[in-house]
Amino acid sequence: MNSSSTVHDTMVLERLYAAPAERVFAAWSHPDAKRVWFSGGDGDGEYELDFRVGGRELSRATLDGGDDVYTYDALYQDIVPDRRLVYTNHMLRNADRISVSLTSVEFRPDPAGTRLVLTEHGVYLDGLDQPEYRRQGIAQQLEALDTFLGGAR
């Protein structure tokens, strides 16, 4: 790579799910459940989840039939059951590191169910990833989570 650059961004995404916090949290903490909404669950690619402080989450796949392999590699830093997750992660496109992030996910009880607040502080590297791509990808995952949970409000 001939040049190096960094772009910093903080995003906050909120969603309201018509399910109790315990159920929404379980969708994040059980490997079989998370595989479905997080990585598409179509059987293509690799997915692992060791859900504990110090545990690792790994997803590796191609996107939309492309040739590039994307790897998401996370490490859980803090877990408060049914209330909070904090993890660090990096993403690769093939062998190139494209971003590094710190993310928190809060599960807040709400009269309508659970208000999820995801905050990600990202560093996007060398123009290989961009905040708007990440925002779009996470938004799609959160919509898939809504579908997984039943989608009723």
Side-chain angles (χ1 to χ4, degrees), residues 12 15 41 48 51 57 65 70 82 97 118 132 136 149:
V12 179
R15 297 292 187 275
E48 300 172 17
F51 190 77
E57 181 172 18
Y70 288 87
D82 306 329
R97 188 172 307 267
L118 183 146
E132 53 270 20
Q136 179 183 9
L149 293 169

Side-chain angles (χ1 to χ4, degrees), residues 2 4 16 36 39 45 82-83 88 95 99-100 104 109 112 121 126 130:
N2 293 335
S4 64
L16 181 61
V36 171
S39 63
D82 306 329
R83 302 294 295 168
T88 54
S99 66
V100 179
S104 67
H121 308 282
D126 304 326
Q130 297 179 23

Side-chain angles (χ1 to χ4, degrees), residues 47-152:
Y47 182 77
E48 300 172 17
L49 175 60
D50 177 11
F51 190 77
R52 62 182 173 83
V53 173
R56 180 178 183 207
E57 181 172 18
L58 178 74
S59 178
R60 183 175 293 126
T62 58
L63 299 179
D64 299 324
D67 293 327
D68 290 326
V69 176
Y70 288 87
T71 303
Y72 167 86
D73 192 349
L75 183 65
Y76 284 90
Q77 305 292 335
D78 184 60
I79 298 172
V80 178
D82 306 329
R83 302 294 295 168
R84 179 180 69 223
L85 303 174
V86 179
Y87 51 90
T88 54
N89 70 77
H90 68 268
M91 290 198 60
L92 304 174
R93 182 174 71 204
N94 301 316
D96 295 319
R97 188 172 307 267
I98 63 175
S99 66
V100 179
S101 301
L102 168 66
T103 305
S104 67
V105 183
E106 299 170 77
F107 303 84
R108 299 178 181 170
D110 185 279
T114 302
R115 181 164 304 279
L116 182 139
V117 180
L118 183 146
T119 305
E120 181 170 291
H121 308 282
V123 181
Y124 302 89
L125 306 171
D126 304 326
L128 300 173
D129 196 0
Q130 297 179 23
E132 53 270 20
Y133 299 161
R134 183 66 52 81
R135 188 172 285 109
Q136 179 183 9
I138 293 173
Q140 289 172 345
Q141 289 173 327
L142 296 179
E143 290 304 315
L145 174 58
D146 189 45
T147 300
F148 176 82
L149 293 169

